[in-house]
Amino acid sequence: MSDGQELPDSIPDIDAKTDSLLDELSKTFGESVACYPFLNEEITPNIVDKVFDDLQGRFGSGKEGSRLVVVVNSFGGDIDAAYNLAMLFCTYGKKELSFIVPRWAKSAATLLVCGGDSVMMTQVAELGPLDPQITQINPLEQRLEQFSPLHIESTLELIRNEFDKGNKELAEGLLQRLQFPITLGSIKKSLQVGKQYASKLLASRMLKDDRDQASKIANKLVEHYADHGHCINIDEVEELGLVVHRLSQCQVRIVWDIYRLARKKADLKAAQREKEMEEQLRELPPNLQDALPPEILKQEPRPDVRKEQ
């Protein structure tokens, strides 16, 4: 299968084809290498449970000398769960643990791949910064806001500058919009979580002979980048000092096909959820259906059933 060819139209067929490609990929690494898919998953505590059950089903309790390659495509999620998941994969890759990134391993997924002996990336693969993203309700406007703790220092600097310029009203207005000081301090302290987790993971395997370097890289991943979405490609990963390898042409083909199948599976699941939602909406009582905008039901406005009766 290559770009341009039709992908399977059912989730079971996609799963079967993905398993076949994972077997093909494992052969490119030699004997006794297992390949495991972690594809299009948000990293949550529930996902840790799911992966644990799956690994036990596939490989038992884990055996000494095992070699594991995990194909990762994820935009991240909960950083505590990512650390737990990384340690779990370590138990199933005691001899060697590598992560392959076809396209995305952002945010907490970047922390995940820091737990291996090496990371392998395609030319378009991206890692991302590890500064946590905080979602809280703005107490003044009663709406959700998402921000990085890195923004706190720049905001305080902005307020200081406005005071220095004599713009007292503007500066005080900005101060009023800040969170309670203790909350602000705890948010800023959350930066330490990513640093500690990344430093621990890097020093445990990938950079086990250079703990200082592990700490420096962890600090960079948390504090160096101005935007959480920054693209850290394979060249920049090398510059950071992580152990990264380029895939062979054959491996790129296989890995990219796995990525395309995962993307198609996600599309099918989304369409399935949408269809189920539409069916649930149509099962609502007529008076509730009439109150919904027509675009939600994805159909023309229904006749007034009460008049028909």
Side-chain angles (χ1 to χ4, degrees), residues 138-141 143 145 172-179:
N138 182 315
L140 295 177
E141 301 176 8
R143 63 182 176 84
E145 288 185 341
E172 289 180 346
L174 291 171
L175 272 175
Q176 290 175 6
R177 293 176 63 86
L178 292 179
Q179 301 284 341

Side-chain angles (χ1 to χ4, degrees), residues 40-100:
N40 290 356
E41 296 282 10
E42 180 182 0
I43 301 175
T44 65
N46 285 340
I47 285 298
V48 177
D49 296 349
K50 177 183 173 183
V51 172
F52 182 50
D53 288 339
D54 195 26
L55 287 170
Q56 285 188 310
R58 288 174 182 247
F59 309 122
S61 60
K63 56 184 180 179
E64 291 291 340
S66 54
R67 299 171 64 197
L68 180 65
V69 174
V70 182
V71 183
V72 175
N73 196 72
S74 172
F75 284 102
D78 181 82
I79 198 164
D80 300 314
Y83 177 78
N84 197 349
L85 195 58
M87 297 303 294
L88 174 61
F89 283 132
C90 284
T91 65
Y92 283 85
K94 289 186 175 71
K95 183 175 180 180
E96 185 177 343
L97 173 63
S98 298
F99 290 92
I100 293 179

Side-chain angles (χ1 to χ4, degrees), residues 197-208:
Y197 279 152
S199 182
K200 273 185 180 180
L201 289 175
L202 290 170
S204 68
R205 301 191 73 137
M206 192 181 293
L207 299 171
K208 62 183 178 182

